[in-house]
Amino acid sequence: MQYEVKPASFLSCGEQLAADLYWPTQVTLPPVIVMANGFACERKFSLPDVAERFAEQGFVVILFDYRGFGESTGRPRELVSAKHHLQDWKNVIDQVKTWSHVNQKQLFLWGVSFSGGHVMTLASEVHDIKAIIALVPHVDGLASALRYPKKFLPQAFKLAIQDLWAARTGQTVSVPVVAKQGISCLACEGCYDAFMESVPENSTWVGHIPARILLEINTYRPTRIAKKIACPTLLIAAHDDQLIPIAATQKAAKKIKNIQYFEWEMTHFDVVHKQSDIFEQAIQTQLQFLKNHLI
């Protein structure tokens, strides 16, 4: 099915969120999927490959950047904040709910990694969500923190405190998202190469973010609200996840009443990498789930 990609923007807390609309050209009142990327990622990182597959099947896809990321406005730049992200999601959803040219009864949310945790949280709070897809979701920041290399903990704590202090005067102390060596946010084995596969060659992505997230992420635990999720949920987990303990994902999944749960032999980043062996299987699984809930 043919589709067009159109630029768009959404207002959130006084800032403009940059977005791409993937719009099927031959569908009247199409269903809608709202998407945003994972930890410290921009919308152009791998997700266009996913969005186009949904658009080809007649879904309108709204793929947006959080404030401070990509072409969105907002400062501090590249601030990873669950609170801000969730505000951005809610503001995008509220504006989509005013559109008369889409099917308001068919509103889906899609997230991966950090944003996978967001769509779980949103599903527990926002009404009229048809279903959610959460791929390798961030379910428990405390559990994930136990995976962080212990040799970097003192420096990580120091940088996070310095950044929180600097924030009082509008400044930031940053830390690499990934690095070949030394301290970074995603410091587990294999994270650098896997993450960088998603970054387009022409990207202007900085690759450093305010260090306060190294403390704040420990308290973001969507698993605690999982039992409140009432809408149908597709959760795909990575058995060999470097960042999110599979036991934590299994525990969260068991709390969701209406769930389709898949656990595959893959790592955290494989599910959205077009070149991975699992990508096509993941797409087909998601499309089947979406079609099952169009009624």
Side-chain angles (χ1 to χ4, degrees):
M1 184 178 297
Q2 293 184 338
Y3 64 91
E4 298 175 346
V5 182
K6 308 175 183 178
S9 65
F10 295 86
L11 183 65
S12 181
C13 302
E15 304 295 344
Q16 293 291 331
L17 307 182
D20 294 317
L21 304 184
Y22 292 72
W23 205 284
T25 56
Q26 301 169 346
V27 182
T28 303
L29 294 179
V32 183
I33 302 173
V34 182
M35 300 174 61
N37 218 328
F39 187 92
C41 292
E42 299 177 3
R43 71 186 192 277
K44 302 292 188 183
F45 294 10
S46 292
L47 297 199
D49 293 329
V50 179
E52 67 182 19
R53 297 297 296 274
F54 295 155
E56 289 171 351
Q57 297 300 317
F59 293 85
V60 168
V61 180
I62 300 163
L63 176 54
F64 74 93
D65 273 331
Y66 301 111
R67 72 185 90 158
F69 280 86
E71 299 158 3
S72 297
T73 63
R75 292 190 177 279
R77 301 299 297 174
E78 284 81 39
L79 174 65
V80 176
S81 162
K83 177 182 177 181
H84 288 186
H85 290 184
L86 290 168
Q87 289 173 336
D88 292 345
W89 271 95
K90 289 177 180 178
N91 286 321
V92 171
I93 291 168
D94 285 346
Q95 288 163 74
V96 172
K97 285 184 174 181
T98 68
W99 291 2
S100 61
H101 48 306
V102 297
N103 189 337
Q104 293 292 342
K105 295 181 179 180
Q106 302 288 347
L107 176 59
F108 299 86
L109 306 183
W110 185 102
V112 60
S113 191
F114 205 45
S115 66
H118 296 343
V119 299
M120 291 173 61
T121 302
L122 291 160
S124 73
E125 300 175 355
V126 179
H127 298 297
D128 303 325
I129 301 301
K130 185 67 175 179
I132 65 169
I133 294 175
L135 307 183
V136 293
H138 172 96
V139 293
D140 189 340
L142 189 58
S144 291
L146 297 176
R147 287 282 180 92
Y148 196 78
K150 290 181 174 58
K151 63 182 178 180
F152 295 140
L153 283 174
Q155 188 179 358
F157 182 77
K158 179 180 178 181
L159 289 171
I161 294 298
Q162 289 176 340
D163 185 44
L164 286 171
W165 185 260
R168 301 174 64 183
T169 58
Q171 305 299 310
T172 61
V173 174
S174 64
V175 62
V177 177
V178 289
K180 290 184 177 180
Q181 58 184 4
I183 190 170
S184 63
C185 293
L186 309 181
C188 295
E189 185 177 354
C191 281
Y192 177 83
D193 289 337
F195 187 99
M196 293 305 296
E197 284 184 24
S198 290
V199 182
E201 291 184 3
N202 59 350
S203 174
T204 59
W205 182 66
V206 176
H208 288 69
I209 61 175
R212 68 199 74 168
I213 188 58
L214 293 171
L215 282 180
E216 294 173 357
I217 199 169
N218 298 339
T219 63
Y220 186 44
R221 306 179 69 195
T223 188
R224 293 186 296 183
I225 54 80
K227 63 182 179 181
K228 297 180 181 179
I229 300 173
C231 68
T233 299
L234 172 63
L235 196 160
I236 299 178
H239 186 268
D240 305 313
D241 201 311
Q242 308 101 303
L243 299 172
I244 301 165
I246 192 62
T249 305
Q250 293 167 344
K251 182 178 179 180
K254 289 178 181 178
K255 298 177 183 180
I256 303 173
K257 297 180 181 67
N258 191 353
I259 188 170
Q260 280 187 258
Y261 178 76
F262 295 90
E263 186 178 305
W264 295 336
E265 295 290 338
M266 62 179 182
T267 64
H268 183 78
F269 300 93
D270 290 337
V271 72
V272 294
H273 281 180
K274 190 174 183 179
Q275 62 271 36
S276 77
D277 295 336
I278 211 75
F279 179 81
E280 190 60 33
Q281 180 181 349
I283 289 292
Q284 294 303 322
T285 301
Q286 292 169 77
L287 287 174
Q288 188 60 58
F289 174 82
L290 290 167
K291 291 175 181 177
N292 288 345
H293 292 93
L294 284 177
I295 301 173

